[in-house]
Amino acid sequence: MSRSRNLALASAVLSVLAAPAFAEGLGLGRPALPEEIVAWDVAVLPDGTGLPEGSGDVLTGEEVFAEKCAVCHGEFAEGLDSWPVLAGGAGSLTDRRPVKTIGSYWPYLSTVFDYVHRSMPFGQAQTVTVDETYAITAFLLYSNGLVEDDFTLSKENFTEITLPNVDGFYPDDRAETEYPMFSTAPCMADCLDAPPQVTKRAIELNVTPEDPDGKPAGTLPPIMLTAAEAPGAPVAEAPAEEGAAENAADAEGSQANPALIAAGEKVFRKCAACHKVGEGARNITGPMLNGIVGRVAGTVDGYKYSKPMAEAGAGGMVWDAAELAAYLADPKGFLPGNKMSFVGLKSAEDRTAVIAYLGALGG
Amino acid sequence: MVPGFEGNMWVKWVRRIAVYDQAVEGREETSKYTDLMPDGRARKWTWVMDAKSVITSPSPQAPIRHGAGPLVITGLAWSGNGKIAQVDVSVDGGNTWAEARLSGDVKPKALTRFHFDMTWDGQEMLILSRAVDETGYVQPTKDALRAVRGVNNVYHNNAMQVWWVRADGEVENVEIA
């Protein structure tokens, strides 16, 4: 059954790829190979369509999860820092702060298999095997209290599992429940009973990204302003900016290369999910990285390093440019067992740039 | 591109197209782009974006730099259910409203620019815009939406956006009641 569906699908994909190119004789493309189609066609549907042969048990799943997922999601899938929580939250959906997890919110187990197999670990998608995916899925059922620890999940028993919130969803009903209510003639005058009061300020929620000058990110430059027209703010601002530039230049010494540092700042976006820098930087998933260039490894205050990283530091390893470059090229290979779950920077240029950027940050 | 639908459906890089006889119920359409209601159940397949508008100038990123005097308030409006029929602007927190000008050839499901001309006396203002689409749907307040959808319903917030304009022309993102 699922075989024939796959076949039908395969030919559909095939004709999509093949038809335009060959029909019009542009000489572009080629028909997809059956192996390619199998590799692409990873979708698993609620009725079990698309499930590959295989199985895995809770205990194996726990091991794989500890190795490949726990750095972000926690040993018990409870979610570390701001990474997603995968377990718990039962009965919380009507709370002010509901915890939406596989156990409390997700309607179908197929989604767990599909997503883990297709998209996780974050940044290293499709490195989890089919049996590992069954095992992880079994472990996630276990950590949500839905199966016992001796449970084995397989293609055969997969659709016997029903998640608790399967009936918690209904199709969009706004047309019936909202549109009539919001389609009355708009009020034009005397619409309020009392003068309006400010009840919430986004500034206090601290959710608006800022530029270095403290203004909302992307604020338009004051194109019309001259010192004569508005003597207040702009005059006060100008010397502050110059001062900042001088300080930065001091810190960088003679090696400062603004273009390289700017390029490094861009590369750093790949790190920013796990590392904070700049004023008030905190430890999050990874340690904060102010002053990292030249620092002894594993010594940022208050950060819980892996054993190998702490030991490397105790052994005297210093993050000079060469060590950093080697670590960033291959985080796992450079220091086996360290917990930076990051594929690394393939390009030497990117490594040089990001190290220049980190160097310019100072302590 | 799927005009009028939530941005999550605008897939940028199509790698393959597969047609199924049932909903795939992928992670984005179950765990994420579903709308949790106050009773703990959730709406699914809520793709259409209802009428919305926002003032782009003045705004926190575009403060008033020229001081009191003539001021043009401008912004964008759109609706997943058709053309924008009207946009109203209020500068007193929603007590009185006046109709803004729509510019260009107004198209269904397309961004529609509006302008509203006034003279600013240099005093604080609470400014907001309100879109009405061709079906007669009127962009609601945040409180009106919360009354129906509760406070954990995030993907389809089409409520009116209030800006607090200060006497010095700086603008802040606020909620009012």
Side-chain angles (χ1 to χ4, degrees), chain B residues 21-97:
Chain B
D21 59 3
Q22 56 181 295
V24 174
E25 302 284 5
R27 182 260 190 168
E28 303 301 332
E29 66 175 328
T30 55
S31 165
K32 295 297 150 190
Y33 288 76
T34 46
D35 306 296
L36 187 57
M37 302 294 283
D39 68 356
R41 297 197 310 143
R43 288 180 180 149
K44 65 174 177 178
W45 306 331
T46 48
W47 299 318
V48 171
M49 299 302 290
D50 296 325
K52 180 160 182 166
S53 67
V54 65
I55 294 171
T56 54
S57 177
S59 67
Q61 281 98 336
I64 305 173
R65 313 251 201 215
H66 51 60
L71 175 69
V72 180
I73 293 179
T74 181
L76 293 165
W78 60 94
S79 168
N81 283 317
K83 287 184 194 173
I84 289 296
Q86 175 182 337
V87 177
D88 304 316
V89 169
S90 171
V91 300
D92 62 3
N95 194 44
T96 48
W97 295 83

Side-chain angles (χ1 to χ4, degrees), chain A residues 85 92-93 98-102 104-106, chain B residues 31-32 34 36 152:
Chain A
V85 192
S92 75
L93 295 182
V99 180
K100 293 161 133 189
T101 72
I102 292 164
S104 71
Y105 191 64
W106 291 33
Chain B
S31 165
K32 295 297 150 190
T34 46
L36 187 57
N152 284 298

Side-chain angles (χ1 to χ4, degrees), chain B residues 135-157:
Chain B
T135 72
Y137 179 99
V138 183
Q139 185 184 359
T141 61
K142 251 185 211 169
D143 283 342
L145 271 192
R146 284 185 181 134
V148 184
R149 301 182 187 171
V151 294
N152 284 298
N153 197 297
V154 294
Y155 292 105
H156 289 271
N157 169 12

